[in-house]
Amino acid sequence: MNAVQLRRVVGWWRAQGGAVTAEAVLIAPVLVMLLVFVAVVVHRGVDARLRLDDAAHQAARAASLQRSPVAASTAAQATATLALVHAGLVCRDAAVATTTSASPGSTVLVSVRCTVDFGQALVLGVPGSRTLSATASEVIDTYRSQPATGGT
């Protein structure tokens, strides 16, 4: 770079007179708002996933304490529904599937599927709802899984 070119660059830089600073001051709040919106959407997704995992674990534990596969399925459904309500997770089309056997020491598997609404995330181009699922397993309790025998 020769002296003439260097003078042109320096002259151009001085002629700007703080325009870059003004542009940065105007653009910074927009970028911060965009980052906040993205953080809110990510938080909603992670929070919904954690609450759904917790509901699946609670449902599997409740099912493992029942004495028959039918009672286990009923307990899993009721517990998952109640856990989702208490967690504040609004689900559309919630479904609970339970796979179990009657033998003590085997496992019960509970899958919870839920369509979660992300509401205001449409502004960012994120889909308004997303279907999430969680699965949990639990060992069937040896002492509670058998029907009561004889009288005491």
Side-chain angles (χ1 to χ4, degrees):
M1 184 178 281
N2 62 26
V4 174
Q5 290 174 335
L6 184 61
R7 281 189 210 131
R8 284 186 194 159
V9 170
V10 170
W12 174 82
W13 185 261
R14 287 183 183 156
Q16 293 300 313
V20 173
T21 305
E23 290 170 1
V25 167
L26 294 174
I27 292 174
V30 174
L31 292 176
V32 169
M33 284 178 41
L34 181 65
L35 287 174
V36 168
F37 280 138
V38 169
V40 166
V41 170
V42 169
H43 175 266
R44 281 186 171 182
V46 170
D47 186 51
R49 169 78 60 195
L50 289 173
R51 291 172 192 252
L52 196 62
D53 283 342
D54 183 52
H57 285 285
Q58 288 183 36
R61 181 63 184 150
S64 74
L65 297 174
Q66 299 305 311
R67 297 178 184 217
S68 71
V70 173
S73 181
T74 304
Q77 176 74 35
T79 303
T81 303
L82 190 62
L84 291 172
V85 168
H86 281 286
L89 189 61
V90 178
C91 287
R92 287 185 282 147
D93 305 325
V96 179
T98 306
T99 306
T100 186
S101 69
S103 60
S106 63
T107 59
V108 61
L109 186 68
V110 175
S111 297
V112 180
R113 186 178 47 83
C114 173
T115 302
V116 180
D117 183 23
F118 286 114
Q120 298 83 12
L122 291 172
V123 173
L124 296 174
V126 176
S129 63
R130 186 164 183 202
T131 301
L132 303 175
S133 63
T135 303
S137 64
E138 197 68 43
V139 176
I140 296 176
D141 194 320
T142 304
Y143 301 105
R144 295 220 177 213
S145 61
Q146 297 176 6
T149 60
T152 11

